[in-house]
């Protein structure tokens, strides 16, 4: 510090200018490097989701349709091991509907009175069934690739639901110079471009129970909404609590500011003077 203070004004300006120039030069070089760097992976653009706003809730009709897409299309390869049937109650299905859905699957239970394991119809407390017994069986059925669990997939991928949507709709022919192995497909939104999953959806792949046209984009949008809810089931409640909390903080902040100004105005603006006593000569 003492050495810096000993510098003349000209030296201080020269050192400061050199530092600023080095910083600006480094920032420009980094930006240029980012601009020219080749990248075969496309970054998914943001889509105007109906639940993206700070006060917007999830589309529960879309969640219901998304579950139908998952069950009829995705569940053949992908598990959702952290989601139970009971989680659908009050969100996309009624309790009776959830009981019927759970009973469509058989689950291993036991032992019974004779010590044997047995199969029984599902209950709302059961978790979604796995398509494969273990990872080895999953890899053997998918050319060595293990399909990821979808419970938290939207939070586990860069781009969240935007990535899932564009991945489902982004299959295309590989560009020149890109060679794919047998069983692989090209998708520019997948890291590396080569993905083992074949295009999973297309127009009218399923028939929605509510009569919504099952176009490819609609199917992708619904399953993305369902996966967003599955990863963040507290989504709507979190936004409701935020609105309540911000409202209370606003109501409290106004009288708190007034009291602060009222109580402290005298203390902050006071001026204390000390007048020493002057001894007058006799």
């Amino acid at each position: 510090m003492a050495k810096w203070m000993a510098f003349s004004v000209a030296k201080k300006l020269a050192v400061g200018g050199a530092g600023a120039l080095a910083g600006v030069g480094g920032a420009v070089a980094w930006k240029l490097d980012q601009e020219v760097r080749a990248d075969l992976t496309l970054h998914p653009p943001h889509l105007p989701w109906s639940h993206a706003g700070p006060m917007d809730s999830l589309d529960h009709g879309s969640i219901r349709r998304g579950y139908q897409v998952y069950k009829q299309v995705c569940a053949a390869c992908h598990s959702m091991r952290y989601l139970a049937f009971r989680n659908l109650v009050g969100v996309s299905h009624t309790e009776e509907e959830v009981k019927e859905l759970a009973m469509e699957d058989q689950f291993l239970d036991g032992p019974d009175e004779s010590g044997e394991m047995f199969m029984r119809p599902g209950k709302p407390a059961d978790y979604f069934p796995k398509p494969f017994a273990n990872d080895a069986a999953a890899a053997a059925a998918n050319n060595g690739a293990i399909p990821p669990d979808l419970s938290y997939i939207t939070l586990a991928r860069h781009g969240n639901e935007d990535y899932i949507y564009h991945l489902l709709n982004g299959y295309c022919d590989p560009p020149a110079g890109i060679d794919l192995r047998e069983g692989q497909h090209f998708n520019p939104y997948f890291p590396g471009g080569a993905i083992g999953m074949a295009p999973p959806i297309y127009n009218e792949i399923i028939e929605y129970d509510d009569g919504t046209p099952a176009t490819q984009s609609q199917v992708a949008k619904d399953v993305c909404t369902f996966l967003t809810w599955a990863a963040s089931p507290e989504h709507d409640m979190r936004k409701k609590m935020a609105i309540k909390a911000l409202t209370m903080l606003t109501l409290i902040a106004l009288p708190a500011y007034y009291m602060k100004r009222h109580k402290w105005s005298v203390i902050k603006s006071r001026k204390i003077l000390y007048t020493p006593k002057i001894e007058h000569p006799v």
Side-chain angles (χ1 to χ4, degrees):
M1 186 65 183
K3 292 182 178 180
W4 173 257
M5 295 300 295
F7 285 174
S8 63
V9 176
K11 287 186 177 181
K12 291 180 180 179
L13 291 177
V15 173
L21 185 61
V24 172
V28 171
W30 179 83
K31 185 62 178 178
L32 289 175
D33 178 70
Q34 295 297 314
E35 291 292 339
V36 302
R37 179 171 296 180
D39 190 359
L40 292 178
T41 303
L42 287 180
H43 297 281
H46 180 65
L47 298 174
W49 297 97
S50 60
H51 56 266
M55 300 180 66
D56 296 327
S57 66
L58 290 165
D59 182 352
H60 288 249
S62 185
I63 294 176
R64 183 185 179 98
R65 293 192 298 271
Y67 169 74
Q68 186 178 350
V69 176
Y70 167 75
K71 184 174 182 180
Q72 297 184 19
V73 180
C74 310
C77 299
H78 295 274
S79 63
M80 294 191 76
R81 67 185 66 183
Y82 300 109
L83 204 65
F85 289 102
R86 64 170 180 263
N87 298 132
L88 300 173
V89 177
V91 176
S92 58
H93 297 74
T94 64
E95 184 175 353
E96 293 302 321
E97 289 175 330
V98 169
K99 289 181 179 179
E100 293 179 3
L101 289 174
M103 291 181 65
E104 294 177 1
D105 294 297
Q106 295 290 318
F107 292 85
L108 182 65
D109 204 348
D112 56 13
E113 295 179 354
S114 61
E116 300 293 333
M117 304 299 289
F118 61 93
M119 301 298 293
R120 59 162 177 80
K123 300 181 292 186
D126 291 320
Y127 287 81
F128 287 2
K130 300 177 183 179
F132 303 102
N134 49 59
D135 288 346
N142 292 276
N143 295 322
I146 301 176
D149 184 86
L150 299 182
S151 302
Y152 297 100
I153 194 67
T154 56
L155 297 180
R157 296 294 184 269
H158 172 70
N160 306 118
E161 58 265 43
D162 294 324
Y163 167 78
I164 305 299
Y165 180 88
H166 290 293
L167 181 73
L168 294 175
N169 291 286
Y171 286 86
C172 61
D173 295 330
I178 301 297
D179 296 325
L180 301 176
R181 293 182 298 177
E182 183 180 358
Q184 288 186 331
H185 307 269
F186 184 77
N187 193 314
Y189 292 100
F190 187 76
I195 183 173
M197 179 176 67
I201 60 173
Y202 48 85
N203 292 328
E204 306 299 332
I205 187 174
I206 64 171
E207 183 177 350
Y208 281 131
D209 295 335
D210 61 1
T212 301
T215 61
Q216 180 172 334
S217 59
Q218 182 68 47
V219 170
K221 179 257 185 184
D222 290 334
V223 75
C224 286
T225 304
F226 170 71
L227 294 176
T228 299
W229 166 79
S232 302
E234 79 291 346
H235 178 276
D236 291 355
M237 183 58 65
R238 183 176 68 244
K239 290 186 176 180
K240 287 181 180 179
M241 292 300 297
I243 294 173
K244 294 178 181 178
L246 291 175
T247 301
M248 292 300 299
L249 287 175
T250 302
L251 295 176
I252 293 173
L254 296 176
Y257 179 76
Y258 172 78
M259 291 299 296
K260 180 259 183 186
R261 296 283 296 177
H262 176 72
K263 293 293 185 181
W264 288 87
S265 60
V266 178
I267 299 176
K268 292 182 67 176
S269 60
R270 69 181 178 178
K271 185 176 182 180
I272 302 177
L273 296 176
Y274 172 69
T275 304
K277 184 178 181 180
I278 301 176
E279 297 290 343
H280 296 281
V282 179

